[in-house]
Amino acid sequence: MRDAVPSTFRGDFMQWAERQHFDRRSALMQGWGTLLLVIACLLWIRLGFLIHDSENTLHCFDASICEMDTTMPKQLTLLAFSAPLSTAGTALLVTGIARRQTSAHVLTVIDMQQTEARRRNK
């Protein structure tokens, strides 16, 4: 039964299955990259609102003891969280896109080589 399927068909099927698996992994990378970038954008928007609404107030307890109340720690925390998310999201998105385009290019080259080989054999 195994010999009934031509070896070229088995190779094409294996190539197709592996390409589908590769494309799924690439799409997953793109999805995670997009999600991380959206989260980072939301953090940047929140940071913009915090910067716009920042009201530094001066609280004085005695005539000589005053303390500045600022939102700077919250702003720095948002910035500290958003920078790695942006970097990781960009890396995943670009890697996923590059993998898909490289895979499509390789498949096109293989198809062109097979077409050339069939043309020579005629």
Side-chain angles (χ1 to χ4, degrees), residues 24-35:
R24 271 193 300 275
R25 286 184 294 175
S26 298
L28 187 64
M29 290 175 77
Q30 283 180 296
W32 277 107
T34 302
L35 178 67

Side-chain angles (χ1 to χ4, degrees), residues 47-59:
L47 179 64
F49 281 117
L50 283 177
I51 289 173
H52 182 270
D53 294 337
S54 66
E55 294 179 12
N56 295 334
T57 55
L58 191 61
H59 297 287

Side-chain angles (χ1 to χ4, degrees), residues 14-89:
M14 289 176 61
Q15 181 183 26
W16 178 83
E18 185 59 33
R19 177 167 160 72
Q20 294 298 315
H21 181 66
F22 191 81
D23 280 345
R24 271 193 300 275
R25 286 184 294 175
S26 298
L28 187 64
M29 290 175 77
Q30 283 180 296
W32 277 107
T34 302
L35 178 67
L36 289 178
L37 285 174
V38 166
I39 292 170
C41 285
L42 292 174
L43 289 175
W44 277 90
I45 290 170
R46 176 70 178 138
L47 179 64
F49 281 117
L50 283 177
I51 289 173
H52 182 270
D53 294 337
S54 66
E55 294 179 12
N56 295 334
T57 55
L58 191 61
H59 297 287
C60 293
F61 302 109
D62 287 332
S64 62
I65 302 174
C66 292
E67 184 179 288
M68 180 73 81
D69 184 25
T70 181
T71 59
M72 189 61 71
K74 192 182 289 186
Q75 293 169 356
L76 290 175
T77 302
L78 284 176
L79 184 63
F81 281 138
S82 68
L85 286 177
S86 300
T87 304

Side-chain angles (χ1 to χ4, degrees), residues 1-18 114 118:
M1 182 75 165
R2 189 171 193 196
D3 295 328
V5 178
S7 63
T8 56
F9 178 74
R10 277 193 302 249
D12 289 344
F13 179 75
M14 289 176 61
Q15 181 183 26
W16 178 83
E18 185 59 33
Q114 288 174 350
R118 280 193 300 260

